Amino acid sequence: MTVAETRHEGAAHKTVTVIVDEEPVSGVPRHTTPNEILQLAGIDSATHYLVRVKGRRRDSFKDQGDEEITVHERETFVSVFTGPTPTS
């Protein structure tokens, strides 16, 4: 194995801390899925989807929960509930 391959192998297993709904979530693999982030945050991926927040920009992962994404240290996300809303 070359030095470059060793470095790449180490980077693939690196974890970061991201922010989900204003709470830190540690141990998130840099290459992960939105659903895995939700699960690590203790949020049900069957009733929520993830949105990446970058300033005023919002990147929705609705219907893309199992697609791999790359995340960065202290990146910010919010969860969006998709279940029924109660009526009064």
Side-chain angles (χ1 to χ4, degrees), residues 8-84:
H8 180 70
E9 181 77 16
H13 296 293
K14 183 178 181 196
T15 62
V16 296
T17 299
V18 299
I19 309 300
V20 179
D21 296 338
E22 300 183 1
E23 293 292 327
V25 179
S26 301
V28 178
R30 283 194 28 85
H31 302 285
T32 187
T33 67
N35 285 348
E36 289 174 324
I37 295 170
L38 287 169
Q39 290 170 349
L40 287 169
I43 300 168
D44 185 358
S45 61
T47 57
H48 294 76
Y49 66 91
L50 204 62
V51 175
R52 184 182 342 229
V53 178
K54 290 183 178 178
R56 292 181 179 215
R57 182 176 167 183
R58 306 287 187 263
D59 296 322
S60 172
F61 296 104
K62 185 176 185 183
D63 301 322
Q64 301 170 18
D66 292 321
E67 294 181 20
E68 187 174 281
I69 62 172
T70 300
V71 295
H72 304 282
E73 186 68 31
R74 306 301 291 177
E75 197 160 23
T76 302
F77 298 87
V78 294
S79 64
V80 178
F81 181 64
T82 60

